[in-house]
CSV table of all heavy atoms in Angstrom, one decimal:
chain,number,residue,atom,x,y,z
A,73,MET,N,124.5,114.6,161.6
A,73,MET,CA,123.8,115.9,161.4
A,73,MET,C,122.2,115.6,161.5
A,73,MET,O,121.5,116.6,161.6
A,73,MET,CB,124.0,116.5,160.0
A,73,MET,CG,125.5,117.0,159.9
A,73,MET,SD,125.8,118.0,158.4
A,73,MET,CE,125.3,116.9,157.1
A,222,GLY,N,127.7,122.5,147.2
A,222,GLY,CA,127.7,122.9,148.6
A,222,GLY,C,129.0,123.3,149.2
A,222,GLY,O,129.2,123.5,150.4
A,225,HIS,N,129.1,126.6,151.4
A,225,HIS,CA,128.6,126.7,152.8
A,225,HIS,C,129.2,125.5,153.6
A,225,HIS,O,128.6,125.2,154.7
A,225,HIS,CB,127.1,126.8,152.9
A,225,HIS,CG,126.4,125.7,152.1
A,225,HIS,ND1,126.2,124.4,152.6
A,225,HIS,CD2,125.7,125.7,150.9
A,225,HIS,CE1,125.5,123.7,151.8
A,225,HIS,NE2,125.2,124.4,150.7
A,227,HIS,N,129.4,122.3,153.3
A,227,HIS,CA,128.8,120.9,153.3
A,227,HIS,C,128.9,120.3,151.9
A,227,HIS,O,127.9,120.1,151.2
A,227,HIS,CB,127.4,120.9,153.8
A,227,HIS,CG,127.2,121.2,155.2
A,227,HIS,ND1,127.6,120.4,156.2
A,227,HIS,CD2,126.8,122.3,155.8
A,227,HIS,CE1,127.4,120.9,157.4
A,227,HIS,NE2,126.9,122.1,157.2
A,229,VAL,N,128.9,118.0,148.8
A,229,VAL,CA,128.3,116.7,148.6
A,229,VAL,C,128.6,116.3,147.1
A,229,VAL,O,128.3,117.0,146.2
A,229,VAL,CB,126.7,116.8,148.8
A,229,VAL,CG1,126.0,115.6,148.3
A,229,VAL,CG2,126.4,117.0,150.2
A,236,MET,N,119.6,118.9,138.6
A,236,MET,CA,119.7,119.4,140.0
A,236,MET,C,121.1,120.1,140.2
A,236,MET,O,121.2,121.2,140.7
A,236,MET,CB,119.5,118.2,140.9
A,236,MET,CG,120.1,118.3,142.2
A,236,MET,SD,119.2,119.6,143.1
A,236,MET,CE,119.3,118.9,144.7
A,240,TYR,N,121.8,124.0,141.0
A,240,TYR,CA,122.4,124.3,142.3
A,240,TYR,C,123.7,125.1,142.2
A,240,TYR,O,123.9,126.1,142.8
A,240,TYR,CB,122.7,122.9,143.0
A,240,TYR,CG,123.1,123.1,144.5
A,240,TYR,CD1,122.3,122.7,145.5
A,240,TYR,CD2,124.4,123.6,144.9
A,240,TYR,CE1,122.6,122.8,146.8
A,240,TYR,CE2,124.7,123.7,146.2
A,240,TYR,CZ,123.8,123.3,147.2
A,240,TYR,OH,124.2,123.4,148.5
A,243,LEU,N,123.1,128.7,141.1
A,243,LEU,CA,122.6,129.5,142.3
A,243,LEU,C,123.8,129.8,143.2
A,243,LEU,O,124.0,130.9,143.7
A,243,LEU,CB,121.5,128.8,143.0
A,243,LEU,CG,120.1,128.8,142.4
A,243,LEU,CD1,119.2,128.0,143.2
A,243,LEU,CD2,119.6,130.2,142.3
A,248,ALA,N,123.9,132.5,146.3
A,248,ALA,CA,122.6,132.1,147.0
A,248,ALA,C,122.9,131.7,148.4
A,248,ALA,O,124.0,131.2,148.7
A,248,ALA,CB,121.9,131.0,146.3
A,249,SER,N,122.0,132.0,149.3
A,249,SER,CA,122.2,131.7,150.7
A,249,SER,C,122.0,130.2,151.0
A,249,SER,O,121.5,129.5,150.1
A,249,SER,CB,121.1,132.4,151.6
A,249,SER,OG,119.8,131.9,151.3
A,250,PHE,N,122.5,129.8,152.1
A,250,PHE,CA,122.4,128.4,152.5
A,250,PHE,C,121.0,127.9,152.5
A,250,PHE,O,120.6,126.9,152.0
A,250,PHE,CB,123.0,128.2,153.9
A,250,PHE,CG,122.9,126.8,154.5
A,250,PHE,CD1,123.6,125.7,153.9
A,250,PHE,CD2,122.1,126.6,155.6
A,250,PHE,CE1,123.5,124.5,154.4
A,250,PHE,CE2,122.0,125.3,156.1
A,250,PHE,CZ,122.7,124.2,155.5
A,251,GLU,N,120.1,128.8,153.1
A,251,GLU,CA,118.6,128.5,153.2
A,251,GLU,C,118.0,128.2,151.8
A,251,GLU,O,117.3,127.3,151.6
A,251,GLU,CB,117.9,129.6,153.9
A,251,GLU,CG,118.2,129.7,155.4
A,251,GLU,CD,119.5,130.2,155.7
A,251,GLU,OE1,120.1,130.9,154.9
A,251,GLU,OE2,120.1,129.8,156.8
A,252,GLU,N,118.4,129.1,150.9
A,252,GLU,CA,117.9,129.1,149.5
A,252,GLU,C,118.3,127.7,148.8
A,252,GLU,O,117.5,127.0,148.2
A,252,GLU,CB,118.4,130.2,148.7
A,252,GLU,CG,117.5,130.7,147.6
A,252,GLU,CD,118.2,132.0,147.0
A,252,GLU,OE1,118.9,132.8,147.7
A,252,GLU,OE2,118.0,132.2,145.8
A,253,LEU,N,119.6,127.4,149.0
A,253,LEU,CA,120.1,126.2,148.4
A,253,LEU,C,119.5,124.9,149.1
A,253,LEU,O,119.2,123.9,148.4
A,253,LEU,CB,121.6,126.1,148.6
A,253,LEU,CG,122.4,127.2,147.7
A,253,LEU,CD1,123.8,127.3,148.2
A,253,LEU,CD2,122.3,126.9,146.3
A,254,GLU,N,119.3,125.0,150.4
A,254,GLU,CA,118.6,123.9,151.1
A,254,GLU,C,117.3,123.6,150.6
A,254,GLU,O,116.9,122.4,150.5
A,254,GLU,CB,118.4,124.3,152.6
A,254,GLU,CG,119.6,124.0,153.5
A,254,GLU,CD,119.8,122.5,153.7
A,254,GLU,OE1,119.1,122.0,154.6
A,254,GLU,OE2,120.6,121.9,153.0
A,255,GLN,N,116.5,124.6,150.2
A,255,GLN,CA,115.2,124.4,149.6
A,255,GLN,C,115.2,123.5,148.4
A,255,GLN,O,114.4,122.7,148.1
A,255,GLN,CB,114.6,125.8,149.2
A,255,GLN,CG,113.9,126.6,150.3
A,255,GLN,CD,112.9,125.7,151.1
A,255,GLN,OE1,112.1,125.0,150.5
A,255,GLN,NE2,113.0,125.7,152.4
A,256,LEU,N,116.3,123.7,147.6
A,256,LEU,CA,116.5,122.9,146.4
A,256,LEU,C,116.8,121.5,146.7
A,256,LEU,O,116.4,120.6,146.0
A,256,LEU,CB,117.7,123.6,145.6
A,256,LEU,CG,117.8,123.3,144.1
A,256,LEU,CD1,116.6,123.8,143.4
A,256,LEU,CD2,119.1,123.9,143.6
A,257,THR,N,117.6,121.2,147.8
A,257,THR,CA,118.0,119.9,148.0
A,257,THR,C,117.1,119.1,148.9
A,257,THR,O,117.2,117.9,149.0
A,257,THR,CB,119.4,119.9,148.7
A,257,THR,OG1,119.4,120.7,149.8
A,257,THR,CG2,120.5,120.4,147.7
A,258,LEU,N,116.2,119.8,149.6
A,258,LEU,CA,115.3,119.1,150.6
A,258,LEU,C,114.6,118.0,149.9
A,258,LEU,O,113.8,118.2,149.0
A,258,LEU,CB,114.4,120.2,151.2
A,258,LEU,CG,114.3,120.3,152.7
A,258,LEU,CD1,115.7,120.4,153.3
A,258,LEU,CD2,113.4,121.4,153.1
A,259,GLY,N,114.7,116.8,150.4
A,259,GLY,CA,114.0,115.7,149.9
A,259,GLY,C,114.5,115.2,148.5
A,259,GLY,O,113.9,114.3,147.9
A,260,ALA,N,115.6,115.8,148.0
A,260,ALA,CA,116.1,115.5,146.7
A,260,ALA,C,116.7,114.1,146.6
A,260,ALA,O,116.7,113.4,145.6
A,260,ALA,CB,117.1,116.5,146.2
Side-chain angles (χ1 to χ4, degrees):
M73 291 190 305
H225 55 78
H227 291 290
V229 171
M236 157 66 147
Y240 192 107
L243 286 173
S249 68
F250 176 68
E251 289 71 27
E252 210 176 328
L253 292 167
E254 272 288 277
Q255 276 311 310
L256 198 66
T257 52
L258 234 50

